[in-house]
Amino acid sequence: LKFKKMGGLSSKKLHSANDFELVIVSAKELEHLLRTQFGAQGNGVNEMLDSIGGSEALPLPLVKRMRHLIWVRNQLVHQHGVNAIPGDRARFISDYEQSVKELTEILERRQGKKSGGGCVVS
């Protein structure tokens, strides 16, 4: 999996050829980012999104995309007979990468505001 640098996190892993590993590692990474960078609480991405206000705190398309990623993960992990990513594997990877990118951008904007990243004219 490819992870962009976020806060103190930097990781360069290749996307696993194993769908189980791909969805589990992706979900764990989203959980880690939400917990450590956004102050989310709970077990799993859905609870964490709820704990930070869901679409009140993050853009609705991003929240929907992450919830879909977790739906895919849950199908693969919990549904008997599902042994591959349901639907389009490439879309799963793309949606994951886009979610991480957007979370990174949101965090960078928030950190810029906190550090007074604006221009001061005297």
Side-chain angles (χ1 to χ4, degrees), residues 16-25 76 83-86 89 92:
S16 175
N18 180 298
D19 284 357
F20 287 94
E21 182 178 9
L22 175 63
V23 300
I24 290 169
V25 171
L76 187 57
N83 295 307
I85 290 174
R89 186 179 202 277
F92 180 90

Side-chain angles (χ1 to χ4, degrees), residues 53-93:
S55 61
E56 302 278 324
L58 299 172
L60 182 58
L62 172 58
V63 171
K64 285 183 175 185
R65 188 179 317 109
M66 287 192 291
R67 289 193 192 279
H68 178 75
L69 291 169
I70 298 311
W71 177 85
V72 170
R73 178 240 178 240
N74 289 343
Q75 291 295 305
L76 187 57
V77 171
H78 298 293
Q79 295 300 317
H80 180 74
V82 177
N83 295 307
I85 290 174
D88 185 355
R89 186 179 202 277
R91 178 180 171 212
F92 180 90
I93 293 169

Side-chain angles (χ1 to χ4, degrees), residues 2-73:
K2 294 179 183 176
F3 304 141
K4 301 227 179 198
K5 185 171 180 168
M6 187 167 205
L9 177 68
S10 180
S11 182
K12 294 180 182 176
K13 298 180 183 177
L14 298 176
H15 293 291
S16 175
N18 180 298
D19 284 357
F20 287 94
E21 182 178 9
L22 175 63
V23 300
I24 290 169
V25 171
S26 297
K28 286 174 67 172
E29 183 66 13
L30 289 174
E31 290 174 7
H32 178 76
L33 295 175
L34 290 169
R35 182 178 289 112
T36 62
Q37 304 300 318
F38 291 86
Q41 298 178 356
N43 295 315
V45 171
N46 285 321
E47 284 185 20
M48 290 179 174
L49 287 171
D50 291 343
S51 81
I52 61 171
S55 61
E56 302 278 324
L58 299 172
L60 182 58
L62 172 58
V63 171
K64 285 183 175 185
R65 188 179 317 109
M66 287 192 291
R67 289 193 192 279
H68 178 75
L69 291 169
I70 298 311
W71 177 85
V72 170
R73 178 240 178 240

Side-chain angles (χ1 to χ4, degrees), residues 71-121:
W71 177 85
V72 170
R73 178 240 178 240
N74 289 343
Q75 291 295 305
L76 187 57
V77 171
H78 298 293
Q79 295 300 317
H80 180 74
V82 177
N83 295 307
I85 290 174
D88 185 355
R89 186 179 202 277
R91 178 180 171 212
F92 180 90
I93 293 169
S94 174
D95 284 351
Y96 168 75
E97 289 177 345
Q98 183 64 30
S99 295
V100 171
K101 178 179 181 249
E102 287 182 40
L103 288 170
T104 302
E105 291 168 353
I106 290 166
L107 181 63
E108 288 170 352
R109 282 194 303 270
R110 288 180 181 178
Q111 288 176 340
K113 288 179 183 178
K114 286 181 184 176
S115 64
C119 182
V120 176
V121 178

